Amino acid sequence: MGKNVAIVGITGVVGEEMLNCLERRNFPVDELRVMASARSVGKKVKFRDRELSVIEAAAEAFAGIDIALFAVEADQARQFAPAAVKAGAVVIDNSSAYRMSPDCPLVVPEINPQDATPRGIIANPNCSTIIMNVPVYPLHRVNPIKRLVVSTYQAASGAGRPAMEELAANARAWAAGENFTPRVLPYQLFMNVFSHNADIGDNGYNGEEMKMTQETQKIFHAPDIRVTATCVRVPTLRAHCEAVNIEFSRPMSEREVYEILATAPGVTVLDDRAQNRSPQPLDATGQGNVLVGRIRQDISLPDKTGIALFVAGDQILKGAALNAVQIAELIIRPVR
Ligand SMILES: NC(=O)c1ccc[n+]([C@@H]2O[C@H](COP(=O)([O-])OP(=O)(O)OC[C@H]3O[C@@H](n4cnc5c(N)ncnc54)[C@H](OP(=O)(O)O)[C@@H]3O)[C@@H](O)[C@H]2O)c1
């Protein structure tokens, strides 16, 4: 039997991919209800052989919905998710609103599927956190990680469709020799790199960096794992890259890491030293798997407890929409 599914935020980059994932993965849908702000009411989207009209998200719009996939900012998630739950839906939320709430599971299906209880609100982790941890967790299972040091290279679309469009418009303006003033991102991103636009806290870390620390501890059920992140926007359109240095509890060889990652769910190894070929955003774009390369012993840890990796993952897919739909699949077909 199919489910009645809602997508809240259908006009955004994540909402659009949620619809594509439901279609591609043949998710059993009876009714699909698509919502956005009042600005988008009446816009049309196509799902399978149906044309659907966008309706305005509102508390009363969730009647009869079984699964509500949320792809809106945290404020709107807080506004509408409780009403969706009250109406009987399980909410899978992509925003940061509920991720650290003790009542809400934070789920990456390849890591902690057992946490996806089919009720209330289930949070989808931050995109950089998911992309780092899909390949890191299978290593942690074999050799517990003490410390992670990560630097991100995050695409414009991580800040939503308007940021992606701004980068493209900036490139066109540059090609035409015109001046360009950014209005969505805080600085010009084209031909530039800047620290992630999330607010900086008292400890000097920005919000994105702290998400990578706290969410990793929650997903792994490992409150003692230490994570330090530096999150940066780069002028790519889609797919985040990350340089990750891992310190394990005991020595670990490159070969062991290769062997684990070669069969890890959701991971594709792309590591050709002879050709100097490793994961790039264009390789990862449109891929459900996280690509991993540059696998090498971290020479700053002579006892061989360190491994360095470079990963690339489509943050709109595995970092958001695909992960959410995989959680929905867990709800209808729970792991035993
Ligand atoms: N982009 C990513 O790579 C990524 C990755 C992981 C998580 N996320 C998270 O996913 C969520 C969506 O991000 P996004 O990148 O898809 O953003 P986006 O492209 O800017 O889309 C935002 C969506 O929210 C809707 N919206 C705005 N105000 C609304 C309101 N008052 N009521 C109902 N809908 C409203 C917009 O509808 P209108 O078109 O009608 O304004 C649009 O559909 C955010 O919480 C984001 O942090 C994003």
Side-chain angles (χ1 to χ4, degrees):
M1 226 180 76
K3 298 289 177 191
N4 295 335
V5 178
I7 298 177
V8 187
I10 187 67
T11 52
V13 287
V14 175
E16 179 185 34
E17 281 296 1
M18 283 172 163
L19 180 144
N20 292 337
C21 288
L22 291 173
E23 186 156 331
R24 271 201 300 269
R25 296 172 74 86
N26 211 15
F27 192 88
V29 177
D30 274 352
E31 183 196 349
L32 181 63
R33 213 172 289 171
V34 289
M35 307 185 198
S37 78
R39 291 178 290 275
S40 300
V41 170
K43 282 188 180 167
K44 307 287 181 211
V45 295
K46 219 175 149 284
F47 178 66
R48 295 182 180 148
D49 55 353
R50 312 173 212 171
E51 188 180 68
L52 307 174
S53 286
V54 177
I55 63 169
E56 184 177 357
E60 56 279 11
F62 295 96
I65 292 296
D66 301 307
I67 298 172
L69 301 171
F70 270 59
V72 287
E73 292 303 326
D75 284 349
Q76 286 107 43
R78 286 192 201 95
Q79 188 181 350
F80 300 120
V85 171
K86 202 167 168 205
V90 177
V91 168
I92 302 167
D93 179 34
N94 269 265
S95 81
S96 57
Y98 297 99
R99 288 181 190 148
M100 295 312 296
S101 160
D103 302 332
C104 298
L106 184 64
V107 176
V108 180
E110 291 85 350
I111 300 176
N112 58 338
Q114 72 285 356
D115 289 344
T117 44
R119 62 177 176 275
I121 300 170
I122 301 174
N124 209 65
N126 163 271
C127 48
S128 303
T129 309
I130 297 177
I131 287 164
M132 173 174 75
N133 285 329
V134 168
V136 160
Y137 184 73
L139 304 174
H140 172 74
R141 272 182 53 162
V142 172
N143 187 351
I145 291 171
K146 288 163 67 176
R147 180 167 182 251
L148 286 165
V149 181
V150 56
S151 297
T152 70
Y153 306 71
Q154 298 185 221
S157 56
R161 189 183 299 285
M164 193 172 169
E165 287 170 355
E166 181 167 281
L167 177 59
N170 198 164
R172 284 193 297 273
W174 180 83
E178 295 163 1
N179 288 332
F180 188 86
T181 307
R183 302 198 191 285
V184 180
L185 292 166
Y187 306 103
Q188 173 176 323
L189 185 56
F190 185 67
M191 301 281 200
N192 199 15
V193 161
F194 54 82
S195 182
H196 192 281
N197 35 300
D199 290 345
I200 296 182
D202 291 342
N203 64 0
Y205 283 80
N206 65 44
E208 184 86 352
E209 292 162 353
M210 289 312 296
K211 286 173 191 173
M212 294 192 77
T213 298
Q214 294 165 341
E215 293 182 19
T216 299
Q217 293 168 342
K218 180 169 176 176
I219 300 162
F220 284 21
H221 297 281
D224 295 333
I225 199 166
R226 286 172 283 147
V227 183
T228 178
T230 301
C231 291
V232 172
R233 282 241 182 264
V234 298
T236 50
L237 278 180
R238 183 165 174 160
H240 293 349
C241 294
E242 303 178 20
V244 189
N245 285 71
I246 311 172
E247 186 181 344
F248 294 99
S249 301
R250 57 172 177 77
M252 193 142 185
S253 68
E254 280 172 11
R255 173 185 282 274
E256 202 179 345
V257 171
Y258 268 105
E259 283 172 2
I260 293 167
L261 292 180
T263 56
V267 173
T268 300
V269 176
L270 171 56
D271 195 355
D272 184 342
R273 288 186 185 177
Q275 300 297 323
N276 197 353
R277 190 69 173 87
S278 54
Q280 300 172 7
L282 292 180
D283 299 317
T285 295
Q287 301 288 325
N289 276 11
V290 175
L291 310 182
V292 187
R294 304 296 324 278
I295 300 167
R296 61 208 190 277
Q297 208 84 52
D298 180 341
I299 56 171
S300 69
L301 288 167
D303 62 357
K304 297 199 185 307
T305 54
I307 287 285
L309 311 169
F310 192 78
V311 305
D314 188 322
Q315 94 291 348
I316 305 174
L317 281 175
K318 185 56 196 167
L322 173 61
N323 198 72
V325 171
Q326 288 175 311
I327 294 172
E329 290 169 350
L330 284 175
I331 290 170
I332 59 168
R333 290 185 284 270
V335 279
R336 292 179 201 289

